[in-house]
Amino acid sequence: MSAPKAFGVYTARFPFLDSAETKIRPVIVASKPQGPHGVIAVVPVSSRPTREDIDVTINEWSHAGLLKLSVARVHRLTTMLQADLIAELGVLDQKEIKALQASLKKFLNL
C-alpha cells in the first residue's frame, strides 16, 4: 500500500490490549509513516455512542466510508505499522478534520 492519506479512514488489523490476537477495525490515520518500519499514529473509530469529552463524533460518516454514525476515539490514540492497514474506506470532511486536529492538540497538550 502506498503512503496513507492524512485523515483517511482505513480498515486495519487492530491488536487486542490483552492478547496477541487482532480484529479488523476502522481507524483514522493521524500521521505520516515514520522510520524504516512505517509506524503511523491512528485514532480508533467506534460506532458505540458513548464517548469521552476529547473524542469527536463523525457526523459525515458515509463520506468517511463508515456504515453508521461513529466516534473518533482520540483518547485511544495509538501507533501501528502502516503494513497493518488493509483498505481505504474514505476520508473525513474538512469540518471533522479541523475538529479532530483541535482534539488531538488538546489531548497532546500542544
Side-chain angles (χ1 to χ4, degrees):
M1 174 180 287
S2 60
K5 294 178 184 173
F7 301 101
V9 181
Y10 292 81
T11 53
R13 287 178 210 84
F14 205 81
F16 284 98
L17 295 175
D18 55 357
S19 75
E21 294 183 43
T22 62
K23 61 181 174 178
I24 306 301
R25 302 286 308 180
V27 298
I28 299 167
V29 173
S31 74
K32 295 179 181 179
Q34 300 293 317
H37 299 292
V39 175
I40 55 174
V42 297
V43 176
V45 174
S46 175
S47 61
R48 293 194 179 149
T50 56
R51 53 176 286 224
E52 299 293 325
D53 290 341
I54 200 83
D55 295 340
V56 175
T57 300
I58 303 171
N59 293 305
E60 299 297 328
W61 51 270
S62 62
H63 182 264
L66 299 166
L67 300 177
K68 57 178 115 174
L69 183 68
S70 298
V71 175
R73 303 276 188 204
V74 175
H75 78 280
R76 294 280 184 109
L77 178 70
T78 190
T79 59
M80 64 178 17
L81 299 178
Q82 177 183 338
D84 287 332
L85 296 178
I86 298 169
E88 182 180 359
L89 298 175
V91 67
L92 296 181
D93 74 1
Q94 287 301 312
K95 183 178 178 183
E96 289 169 345
I97 288 173
K98 288 181 193 267
L100 187 59
Q101 286 173 324
S103 189
L104 286 165
K105 285 180 182 179
K106 183 176 178 183
F107 182 69
L108 297 171
N109 291 320
L110 298 177

